[in-house]
Amino acid sequence: MPPTDVPRLLADLPECIAAASAEQRGALWRLAEPGRQLDANLVRLPAGGAVEEHVEPLLDVLLLVVEGSGTLWSEGRSQPLTAGALAWLPRGSRRALRADPAGLAWLTVHQRRPGLTVQPARAAAAAPAENTEGGEPACWSNRVCPACGRLAEGTAPSFCSRCGERLETT
């Protein structure tokens, strides 16, 4: 096994896309190197697929279109996306993606999201409560995206804000 602290080729993105089935959507590849400061994902939407409008409150994201075409919707504007387009999605911005008939595949790169942490009592008391009874749910498995593993945010998320996968609403 090669050392993890030396530059090396991690993936051939066109090969990852070619190896996936035509119906496969969501994350086709993920950066998984131990000790990394970045996260990266190769994500694909089939023809006409969409990532519904969402906000990423904590992280700036770079999005590089690898294959296909589509549209980035943000702040009431649509911007065409084609192979080679590089978009910056600043934290806090509202955005949505829709694939054209050829589908859309892109690479996202962003700072690695910090893990879930327990807030000090002062911070928890100052934050507005989402639910006034019962505290945190015992299990958040219904909020974990089956395609990319991200924990969904919000009170009743329907889609993963990272890859667009529909979430179970049990």
Side-chain angles (χ1 to χ4, degrees):
M1 184 167 173
T4 60
D5 59 349
V6 297
R8 66 192 174 287
L9 180 66
L10 295 174
D12 180 322
L13 301 183
E15 186 177 295
C16 291
I17 294 168
S21 71
E23 305 81 37
Q24 190 174 350
R25 63 174 282 148
L28 303 179
W29 173 86
R30 293 180 191 95
L31 182 62
E33 304 306 298
R36 68 191 186 278
Q37 294 178 342
L38 292 175
D39 267 337
N41 299 284
L42 174 62
V43 181
R44 181 171 66 183
L45 285 177
V51 174
E52 300 301 327
E53 185 176 80
H54 64 282
V55 173
E56 168 50 68
L58 301 176
L59 302 172
D60 293 337
V61 177
L62 282 177
L63 181 150
L64 174 64
V65 178
V66 178
E67 184 177 278
S69 60
T71 304
L72 168 64
W73 298 87
S74 180
E75 309 303 326
R77 295 186 349 228
S78 67
Q79 300 174 61
L81 296 173
T82 57
L86 179 64
W88 174 47
L89 309 176
R91 69 183 171 271
S93 65
R94 292 196 164 281
R95 60 278 196 122
L97 295 167
R98 181 160 312 277
D100 287 344
L104 181 64
W106 67 90
L107 178 72
T108 61
V109 180
H110 53 83
Q111 182 180 7
R112 192 169 183 192
R113 182 179 299 281
L116 294 175
T117 59
V118 175
Q119 295 180 357
R122 288 185 304 254
E130 288 184 11
N131 183 358
T132 58
E133 294 181 304
E136 298 291 346
C139 178
W140 287 7
S141 62
N142 65 323
R143 295 177 64 182
V144 174
C145 176
C148 72
R150 178 175 181 183
L151 180 65
E153 298 171 3
T155 56
S158 299
F159 295 91
C160 175
S161 62
R162 176 182 289 160
C163 71
E165 188 74 18
R166 181 175 291 281
L167 300 174
E168 295 294 323
T169 56
T170 56

